[in-house]
Amino acid sequence: MSRHLLSVDSLTRDSVNHLMHVAARMEPIAQRRQVTRVLEGAVLGNLFFEASTRTRVSFHAAFCRLGGSVCDTTGFTFSSMAKGESLYDTSRVMSGYCDAIVMRHPDQGSVAEFAAATHVPVINGGDGPGEHPSQALLDFYTIDKEFTRLGKKLADAHVLLTGDLKYGRTVHSLIKLLSLYDPMRITLVAPPGLEMPDYLIDLVASRGHRVEQRTSLADDYADVDVVYTTRIQKERFTAEMSEGFSLSRDFTVDRAFMDKRCGRDTIVMHPLPRDSRPEANDLDVDLNGDPRLAIFRQTDNGIPVRMAIFATLLQVDELIEKDLRPVRWFVPERVGVDDSPL
């Protein structure tokens, strides 16, 4: 694994496997059963120049679970970038304050530009329509855990990616990460104009995977193992695209679609946030409580995976076993009312 985590391109199958192994060891800590202070004294700079709830808080919580402390910046308004400061200057200044930096920025390539100015580890928390590598890692970790629970294997799996495949950075990172593994079948379903970029389709196909593009969810998907659906990124649309755009029910993942088109053990994932308004036609809330809906297990998995990223980049992943103690506070048996016991 390189000094920074900016793109899935920097990962190999071996480095991903290592992160998955470390993340599994982090689970008792993430689930509040054990405590470690292995990053005590370390400071994380959490720089989010684009709206975020889950990713920002998840990175924050992961670093704290390892014993570190966090400095947060949200939005441009309260940053020196509003005064015209360059990414280079911001990077150098923040590197003097922090031991690791997570950055989200609305412009593709901006996080890599920021990272070029520092030797402090930088993690890409999302750069516009570019990539979101830590999300891809937690998505992959979720798929692996769900497959283990269901007795399935990744090889020859059938993964359906649907929604905004053009601007959805999570699917860009995930499809590249999946392509590092044994050949599988990947079906892409997107509204007109929001298809997966050709260069990503070509990359995955060149690695031996079968990629198929369809225009509707009205087909039979009974053999699909994973349905990964994404919100339409209207905030990234041009004015011309926005005018008159509406998403039909043909692209909605709901209970009717899952019951009629998919199998009984097909898992449903979404990077969140999902737009729960009826007219949004996103992942429908009528699947709440359905065991096939893995979105909250998915978000929970973000903590151990991001802990693993920090531990690996800061080179303390081998020290975790020597620095554990039981928790002292009350921990609920379940986090959510529909959850299985931790």
Side-chain angles (χ1 to χ4, degrees), residues 320-332:
I320 300 297
E321 296 287 348
K322 303 175 184 177
D323 192 66
L324 292 172
R325 60 179 174 81
V327 301
R328 298 173 179 173
W329 61 87
F330 166 74
V331 178

Side-chain angles (χ1 to χ4, degrees), residues 117-128:
T118 180
H119 294 297
V120 170
V122 175
I123 299 169
N124 182 358
D127 61 334

Side-chain angles (χ1 to χ4, degrees), residues 182-210:
D182 293 337
M184 64 187 72
R185 182 181 173 192
I186 301 175
T187 300
L188 309 173
V189 182
L194 298 179
E195 294 87 356
M196 182 73 72
D198 288 340
Y199 78 92
L200 286 171
I201 296 175
D202 293 341
L203 171 68
V204 174
S206 72
R207 293 176 175 174
H209 300 271
R210 178 183 171 189

Side-chain angles (χ1 to χ4, degrees), residues 19 217 301:
L19 286 168
L217 291 178
N301 288 335

Side-chain angles (χ1 to χ4, degrees), residues 138-204:
L138 76 89
D139 290 341
F140 183 80
Y141 186 73
T142 300
I143 292 171
D144 186 59
K145 283 186 67 176
E146 296 292 317
F147 276 24
T148 299
R149 177 177 64 83
L150 295 168
K152 294 185 176 183
K153 295 182 179 179
L154 192 62
D156 297 321
H158 186 182
V159 177
L160 168 62
L161 304 179
T162 184
D164 189 342
L165 305 186
K166 179 177 182 179
Y167 296 112
R169 57 193 170 204
T170 63
V171 287
H172 297 170
S173 293
L174 179 58
I175 196 170
K176 288 202 284 187
L177 187 56
L178 291 174
S179 75
L180 295 175
Y181 286 80
D182 293 337
M184 64 187 72
R185 182 181 173 192
I186 301 175
T187 300
L188 309 173
V189 182
L194 298 179
E195 294 87 356
M196 182 73 72
D198 288 340
Y199 78 92
L200 286 171
I201 296 175
D202 293 341
L203 171 68
V204 174

